[in-house]
Amino acid sequence: MVSLRCKLVVKQEIQKLGLHCVNLDLGTVEVLEKMTDSQREQLSENLMKYGLELLDDKRNIIISKIKGLIIEMIHYSDEIPKVNFSDYLSEKLGYDYTYLSNTFSEIQGITIQQFIIIHKIERVKELLLYDELNLTEISYKLQYSSVAHLSSQFKKVTGLSPSFFKKLKNKRLRNLEDL
């Protein structure tokens, strides 16, 4: 649950079951009453309709929180804090980074760093499509050491240079205008 919309959906679905939400936070929900097995099953089915998943396993909950924090920081923050992601995640979740990293890699099949890079590149794509910032500004905003580093990572992930990606966008727009 990263977005406000997700939290509202979860809260509504809990209320539909006659339960009262006491605390609703990143990846966790606390209800006042004891939830029955049938209520848990119903909640799980209802959340699936929205593409949300009810997690019971501690490790899956931790992974969900890691993903949520990374996505929130990269996609929804105005500026990424100037701290290491490892320190940030450890501090926010209260676990040693080695434990978080090993758990994430074991279950997800990729490292936390790879997950961060994938999301940073998705954010770069968004920013390039919005056409509000140039590559230097995007590089600074997403804490890249240089434009060259951003460009290299972008090409490694997408197979395209940022400038070629932008040209493709402009070409598609022109083709749409010609219709």
Side-chain angles (χ1 to χ4, degrees):
M1 292 182 303
V2 174
S3 72
L4 181 59
R5 186 173 185 273
C6 289
K7 289 180 180 180
L8 288 173
V9 166
V10 171
K11 187 173 185 175
Q12 286 173 349
E13 292 303 322
I14 288 172
Q15 289 171 341
K16 282 182 190 176
L17 295 172
L19 300 170
H20 299 88
C21 189
V22 176
N23 187 20
L24 183 62
D25 200 14
L26 184 68
T28 60
V29 178
E30 190 179 340
V31 292
L32 188 61
E33 305 84 1
K34 175 107 171 92
M35 194 182 289
T36 66
D37 289 342
S38 65
Q39 285 174 319
R40 182 178 296 283
E41 191 175 313
Q42 186 63 51
L43 179 61
S44 181
E45 288 175 20
N46 293 349
L47 292 177
M48 285 290 223
K49 293 175 188 172
Y50 296 97
L52 299 172
E53 187 178 2
L54 185 62
L55 301 174
D56 288 325
D57 177 35
K58 178 185 174 190
R59 293 175 354 139
N60 283 328
I61 292 169
I62 290 171
I63 288 169
S64 177
K65 287 181 180 183
I66 291 169
K67 287 178 171 182
L69 286 168
I70 291 168
I71 290 167
E72 183 176 16
M73 183 185 287
I74 292 171
H75 292 278
Y76 300 107
S77 295
D78 287 335
E79 192 172 310
I80 296 175
K82 291 177 176 41
V83 300
N84 289 338
F85 275 100
S86 57
D87 294 338
Y88 178 77
L89 292 172
S90 291
E91 182 184 314
K92 285 285 192 183
L93 299 174
Y95 289 97
D96 178 66
Y97 184 74
T98 304
Y99 171 74
L100 295 174
S101 178
N102 289 340
T103 302
F104 190 92
S105 298
E106 184 181 320
I107 293 179
Q108 291 301 123
I110 62 171
T111 66
I112 290 175
Q113 191 60 36
Q114 289 169 321
F115 186 80
I116 290 168
I117 290 168
I118 290 165
H119 280 276
K120 284 176 85 170
I121 296 305
E122 283 305 309
R123 183 71 174 132
V124 171
K125 287 180 187 177
E126 288 173 20
L127 293 169
L128 286 172
L129 291 175
Y130 293 148
D131 214 16
E132 294 172 4
L133 302 173
N134 64 39
L135 211 49
T136 303
E137 293 166 327
I138 293 170
S139 158
Y140 178 77
K141 180 180 182 72
L142 295 177
Q143 303 293 319
Y144 279 94
S145 57
S146 67
V147 173
H149 181 225
L150 182 153
S151 297
S152 167
Q153 214 171 62
F154 191 94
K155 184 159 183 133
K156 195 177 198 180
V157 171
T158 66
L160 307 169
S161 69
S163 56
F164 189 75
F165 178 81
K166 200 167 182 171
K167 284 179 189 172
L168 280 177
K169 176 204 92 163
N170 292 335
K171 185 177 180 182
R172 285 185 189 141
L173 288 175
R174 281 194 301 276
N175 288 343
L176 286 174
E177 288 171 358
D178 292 342
L179 294 176

